[in-house]
Amino acid sequence: MSKTLTLYTRAGCPLCDEMARAAVALLTGSGHRIAPCDVDADPALKARYGWDVPLLFDGGHELCRHELNLAAVREWLRLNP
């Protein structure tokens, strides 16, 4: 069953762009996908995360913050084939 990870970002954030590229590359061929979410488009998300992006989540579980945690994403992929 494919799943969608949420990538909290903001426009013009180089770290966000870098994490998006790396996460998409890791998920390629897995059937899973990344759903980007601009924190600036939602006042509640902006208040919650502020400048603390990028963040990669599976539902309410945080996988990565600021940079891709390769081990965490590989473990997530192992548990979600």
Side-chain angles (χ1 to χ4, degrees):
M1 173 183 228
S2 69
K3 294 182 85 174
T4 300
L5 297 177
T6 303
L7 178 61
Y8 293 104
T9 65
R10 72 171 14 95
C13 169
L15 289 176
C16 298
D17 296 340
E18 184 179 317
M19 186 185 288
R21 281 190 299 274
V24 166
L26 275 175
L27 295 182
T28 297
S30 71
H32 303 301
R33 67 182 205 92
I34 300 285
C37 182
D38 186 341
V39 297
D40 293 328
D42 181 329
L45 290 176
K46 187 173 183 176
R48 182 172 183 179
Y49 297 120
W51 290 100
D52 205 18
V53 292
L55 300 143
L56 186 62
F57 274 79
D58 174 17
H61 176 73
E62 181 181 319
L63 295 173
C64 308
R65 180 178 295 250
H66 301 155
E67 60 185 41
L68 189 73
N69 180 332
L70 191 56
V73 176
R74 284 186 174 154
E75 177 66 8
W76 183 87
L77 284 167
R78 187 184 69 75
L79 296 172
N80 296 278

